[in-house]
Amino acid sequence: YTLVGDPSIYTCTGGAFQGSGPPTCTPNACEYQFPDGQGVSHNCAGVGTGLTCTAECGTGYAYASGSSAQTFTCTSSGEFVGTSPQCEPEPCAALVLDEAYRASGCGGAATGESCLVDCADGWTLQGSARMYECQASGSFSGTLPTCVANQCTEGIPVDSDVSPEAACSSLTTGQTCTVQCADGYTGSSSTFTCSSSGALVGDRPVCSELICPDLTSAVTGVAHSCEGVGFGDKCSVGCDAGYRLQTGSSAQDWWCNWDDVAGEVALEGTWPECEALLCTDNFPSSDRFTDNCTGVATAEVCVVACAAGYEGESEVLSCSGTGSLEGTFPTCAPAACPAGSGSAQVETTCAGVTLGSSCFAVCAEGYTGDAEEWTCGLDGDSLTLLGTAPACDPLPCLYNVPIGVQYEHDCLGVGTGGNCTVWCAEHWGGIAENFTCRADGGFEGDLPFCVLITSTWTSSTRTATSTTLSSTSATVSTTSATSSTSVTSSTGTSTRTSATRTSTTQTS
């Protein structure tokens, strides 16, 4: 210890020491036998006599098995007394370098140990390799060497179905580029890397050729095999069935190429020149048809209609590539002739008679004559009944001839359809009537009303008396009067006015 100030004086008085108190003494710091050893650290600096400090493993070191921190004591001799702990260096964390560098001996290096860092494969060292030291902090310290990446000159895909980007030709170690399918192909792209060997490495993309859209022709008469044509392949374009190449023209090859403007594949080529062939088969041959099919060529159409005298819906036929007209011929049935107006003398069996069929014209009832055969035929384009009208003479009526003394007539010999007149006989009065000879041989008409005329004279009065006789059986009544006479018959009653004058009576 070291005295600070003056020493203290004590006096023995009455059997006891008396003084100002003990002096001030400070412990002296030990200066010898500090804790030591690999990796040992301590806090013993400045520790004085009688005091203690701790020795332990410093940063970057760990206690050896069975060892631990130790206590040291500063003795009055100025030396520390104690046992240092056993410390082992701890390994540094793995040295992480860029791909351009390579470390040698750095794996497992412990605190205080060194290792070499130079250039990895694929890089060229400029200058010298560098040493790195494992620090107590657990990491390496050092300066990286200068390494220059090598350029890859091999392994660039060159097949026609792939398209490496431009950068692939100038890559250096570790750099990448994209290799995709070339125009005209489809597939996923791949990444290639410039390896340390100096060659590009990567999975080559799987590329399939694109299929061109099927050829659609706007040119009539062209046929082709251009369905499902792949990029780089060709197909043939020629004339379809029913067509032929024009003079100087030929079949053409079309190729499935890449269209830079559209950014897709397309068929490219020249159209051949084809001309249609005339149809030569399956023309309408029946006289029931009429058509405009002569000269019809492939893909053209014509109309088949029913000829004059036949009836039915027209049909459209088309000229096929086989040279034959295709379609359904119309169903044409013979048409019926007009029945005609006929006449009173002639009757026919021609109602509904059709083209080519016959019927008969005969004399109607009440007429006589030979029958004639008529045929339903054409007069130009019109259907008509062809034949001679029969000569028909009227038969005289024999029945219902007016009979009676009161009638006179001119009906004898009058034939069917003829007329005659019936009038009142002499001494009979009345209005004449017309009779008609019917087809059944009897006359038809109203008999006239005929009145028998009588006269009575007196010297002063003259009375005219009339008698009515019916057209068939009648009741005759005579009434003398000065004013009027009434006549009654089965058909009606009429009243006539007579003139009265006084005179000598005379009857006639």
Side-chain angles (χ1 to χ4, degrees):
Y1 295 87
T2 299
L3 176 65
V4 178
D6 296 328
S8 295
I9 301 297
Y10 278 77
T11 302
C12 178
T13 301
F17 285 102
Q18 294 182 353
S20 57
T24 301
C25 298
T26 58
N28 295 327
C30 281
E31 298 180 356
Y32 305 102
Q33 299 300 320
F34 281 92
D36 62 357
Q38 177 180 257
V40 175
S41 65
H42 58 83
N43 59 353
C44 295
V47 174
T49 304
L51 299 177
T52 60
C53 60
T54 303
E56 59 187 0
C57 293
T59 303
Y61 294 85
Y63 296 105
S65 178
S67 184
S68 64
Q70 298 294 314
T71 300
F72 274 64
T73 302
C74 180
T75 67
S76 61
S77 64
E79 296 178 348
F80 284 102
V81 176
T83 303
S84 295
Q86 298 296 313
C87 297
E88 297 177 348
E90 289 186 318
C92 270
L95 180 59
V96 179
L97 300 173
D98 290 340
E99 60 182 350
Y101 306 101
R102 176 178 58 199
S104 301
C106 294
T111 304
E113 296 178 341
S114 298
C115 60
L116 183 69
V117 175
D118 64 355
C119 295
D121 292 338
W123 279 264
T124 299
L125 178 65
Q126 291 185 349
S128 60
R130 300 299 177 89
M131 298 301 293
Y132 268 60
E133 182 179 351
C134 178
Q135 302 297 313
S137 62
S139 61
F140 287 94
S141 65
T143 303
L144 289 171
T146 301
C147 299
V148 178
N150 299 331
Q151 183 172 341
C152 279
T153 57
E154 299 179 357
I156 301 175
V158 293
D159 298 313
S160 61
D161 61 338
V162 295
S163 177
E165 61 181 346
C168 291
S169 62
S170 59
L171 294 184
T172 58
T173 306
Q175 292 181 328
T176 62
C177 66
T178 300
V179 178
Q180 61 187 11
C181 294
D183 291 341
Y185 295 87
T186 181
S188 299
S189 60
S190 297
T191 299
F192 273 61
T193 302
C194 179
S195 70
S196 60
S197 66
L200 289 180
V201 293
D203 294 327
R204 184 185 185 282
V206 178
C207 300
S208 303
E209 61 184 21
L210 291 172
I211 303 301
C212 271
D214 293 345
L215 185 62
T216 55
S217 172
V219 179
T220 303
V222 170
H224 58 80
S225 60
C226 299
E227 292 88 14
V229 180
F231 176 71
D233 294 334
K234 66 179 180 178
C235 57
S236 297
V237 180
C239 293
D240 201 355
Y243 295 84
R244 65 184 176 189
L245 290 166
Q246 293 184 9
T247 302
S249 184
S250 61
Q252 300 292 319
D253 288 334
W254 282 55
W255 291 86
C256 181
N257 294 330
W258 180 256
D259 187 337
D260 288 328
V261 175
E264 60 185 13
V265 291
L267 287 166
E268 297 178 348
T270 302
W271 295 106
E273 296 178 348
C274 301
E275 59 186 8
L277 297 174
L278 297 179
C279 259
T280 58
D281 192 21
N282 198 33
F283 278 78
S285 58
S286 171
D287 58 2
R288 295 187 175 209
F289 305 132
T290 180
D291 64 83
N292 61 348
C293 296
T294 301
V296 170
T298 303
E300 295 179 342
V301 297
C302 60
V303 178
V304 180
C306 294
Y310 295 88
E311 57 187 5
E313 296 294 331
S314 60
E315 297 285 352
V316 176
L317 302 185
S318 61
C319 180
S320 71
T322 63
S324 176
L325 288 175
E326 292 183 349
T328 303
F329 289 116
T331 300
C332 297
C337 271
S341 59
S343 67
Q345 294 90 355
V346 177
E347 294 179 349
T348 72
T349 61
C350 298
V353 70
T354 57
L355 178 67
S357 299
S358 297
C359 57
F360 290 91
V362 298
C363 293
E365 183 182 12
Y367 296 87
T368 183
D370 295 330
E372 295 287 348
E373 184 176 10
W374 287 1
T375 301
C376 180
L378 289 172
D379 181 9
D381 289 334
S382 300
L383 274 177
T384 188
L385 291 169
L386 303 176
T388 303
C392 297
D393 297 322
L395 293 172
C397 272
L398 302 177
Y399 307 105
N400 295 334
V401 178
I403 300 174
V405 295
Q406 69 272 36
Y407 304 121
E408 292 185 1
H409 59 81
D410 57 359
C411 295
L412 295 180
V414 173
T416 303
N419 295 318
C420 60
T421 303
V422 181
W423 64 89
C424 294
E426 186 178 5
H427 304 301
W428 296 80
I431 299 173
E433 297 285 351
N434 290 324
F435 269 46
T436 301
C437 180
R438 298 195 307 259
D440 61 2
F443 284 104
E444 180 180 48
D446 295 326
L447 289 170
F449 290 96
C450 295
V451 179
L452 178 64
I453 301 174
T454 58
S455 298
T456 304
W457 297 92
T458 64
S459 61
S460 59
T461 303
R462 181 175 179 229
T463 301
T465 303
S466 64
T467 302
T468 300
L469 183 65
S470 67
S471 59
T472 54
S473 60
T475 301
V476 180
S477 62
T478 302
T479 304
S480 296
T482 61
S483 60
S484 63
T485 301
S486 175
V487 181
T488 302
S489 72
S490 61
T491 59
T493 303
S494 64
T495 303
R496 300 178 185 275
T497 302
S498 61
T500 303
R501 180 174 63 180
T502 301
S503 63
T504 302
T505 301
Q506 181 179 359
T507 300
S508 61

